[in-house]
Amino acid sequence: TLFKTLSLFSSFPLFTKQMRSLLRLLPATRQLIKAAQVHGTAVSQVRLTGKPSTNIIGPDNVVRSPYPDATIPECSLYDHVFSQVDKHGRKVAIVDGVTGREYSFNEINESVINFSSALNRLGFQKGDVLALCALNCSQYPTIFFGVLASGGVVSTCNPAYTTEELAYQFKDSGAKYVATMAAFLPSVKKAADMAGIGSIIVIDDHSMKDHGYVSYQSLVTDSGSRFVKQKAEAKKDIAVLPYSSGTTGLPKGVMLT
């Protein structure tokens, strides 16, 4: 039906170039769908031109790209991302969408080093897991890469989770630290207590340090003297531990090196 409708409207002068491109894709898409319905048979890839190319689904039902594998650097994610800081140092890396404040590559790198150094002072060790439960914010990359630079693992959490859901992820991931925003403290604190986590970093409210929490601001203003970049086994060391939505059961951690 969609194919016939687009065919009809494609003759109109106002029919956009993008929609005509979509129309050209439809025959290929239909071929791919029909091929995919054939059980136990190799499925030919259909390129955007509609011409069949090499098989992408073999007898073992494994999907493979017709293109060569990408080369993955034998280094940590932190090293890979920050390897060219000197080249881009003064250029803007991040813009805070709320305040409009700009952060250069140099500033982000410095804050990551300071944060990592401060984590080491707190007793953070290689392989430790920090659960990061926050909205998108300018502090996010500092925490994320600060943990990785220390050889740790970041387990990203959905801040809309209930206390029970957070507690499950904290326990299942083996988190020893949590970083969150003040707005989520009521549920995060309860979940952390249930999981036996004592160190909670508050990202956006420095005054919470007077209430038994660790202030993010106090960490990024560290001298950086305790920064020790951990060597990583790129193919073995876990870097990020996100969790599935749990549609078919409990959420499951996805171990990404």
Side-chain angles (χ1 to χ4, degrees):
T1 303
L2 177 61
F3 179 76
K4 291 179 180 178
T5 303
L6 288 175
S7 299
L8 173 65
F9 280 97
S10 64
S11 60
F12 282 40
L14 295 180
F15 198 77
T16 66
K17 180 180 179 181
Q18 290 81 0
M19 291 302 291
R20 287 195 177 93
S21 297
L22 174 62
L23 179 62
R24 286 196 293 271
L25 296 180
L26 284 176
T29 304
R30 292 197 298 179
Q31 291 178 43
L32 188 58
I33 292 173
K34 288 180 180 179
Q37 292 172 342
V38 180
H39 181 69
T41 316
V43 179
S44 295
Q45 182 199 15
V46 181
R47 293 184 183 276
L48 299 186
T49 59
K51 298 177 181 179
S53 181
T54 56
N55 291 342
I56 58 171
I57 304 180
D60 55 0
N61 288 327
V62 176
V63 180
R64 293 180 175 85
S65 170
Y67 304 102
D69 290 345
T71 301
I72 300 176
E74 289 287 338
C75 64
S76 71
L77 184 58
Y78 166 76
D79 286 336
H80 181 62
V81 172
F82 287 88
S83 61
Q84 299 193 48
V85 166
D86 293 339
K87 179 180 178 181
H88 303 290
R90 295 184 179 181
K91 294 180 181 178
V92 176
I94 293 175
V95 178
D96 190 310
V98 177
T99 66
R101 180 179 174 182
E102 298 178 345
Y103 299 84
S104 69
F105 284 90
N106 280 340
E107 288 176 311
I108 296 298
N109 190 44
E110 182 180 357
S111 66
V112 167
I113 289 173
N114 293 346
F115 187 86
S116 175
S117 173
L119 282 181
N120 293 337
R121 293 183 197 279
L122 292 176
F124 193 94
Q125 298 180 5
K126 183 177 180 179
D128 282 352
V129 178
L130 180 144
L132 179 51
C133 183
L135 300 174
N136 290 338
C137 59
S138 58
Q139 299 94 331
Y140 207 102
T142 294
I143 299 170
F144 188 94
F145 287 106
V147 172
L148 298 189
S150 294
V153 181
V154 179
S155 184
T156 51
C157 306
N158 184 348
Y161 272 175
T162 63
T163 298
E164 291 72 22
E165 289 171 327
L166 286 172
Y168 169 78
Q169 182 169 339
F170 292 169
K171 292 177 182 178
D172 193 67
S173 65
K176 294 183 178 180
Y177 303 82
V178 180
T180 190
M181 295 174 149
F184 308 123
L185 270 178
S187 57
V188 169
K189 178 63 169 64
K190 291 179 182 178
D193 289 343
M194 293 168 64
I197 300 174
S199 296
I200 300 178
I201 301 168
V202 180
I203 298 172
D204 55 345
D205 190 345
H206 185 57
S207 67
M208 296 306 295
K209 66 182 179 61
D210 299 325
H211 300 279
Y213 298 98
V214 179
S215 164
Y216 166 86
Q217 188 61 31
S218 67
L219 301 183
V220 292
T221 54
D222 185 90
S223 65
S225 61
R226 292 287 296 275
F227 174 68
V228 179
K229 186 172 61 175
Q230 295 288 339
K231 293 182 179 180
E233 292 188 60
K235 294 182 178 180
K236 295 181 179 180
D237 291 349
I238 305 302
V240 190
L241 188 59
Y243 272 67
S244 66
S245 61
T247 305
T248 58
L250 291 172
K252 300 169 183 63
V254 183
M255 298 182 289
L256 303 178
T257 59

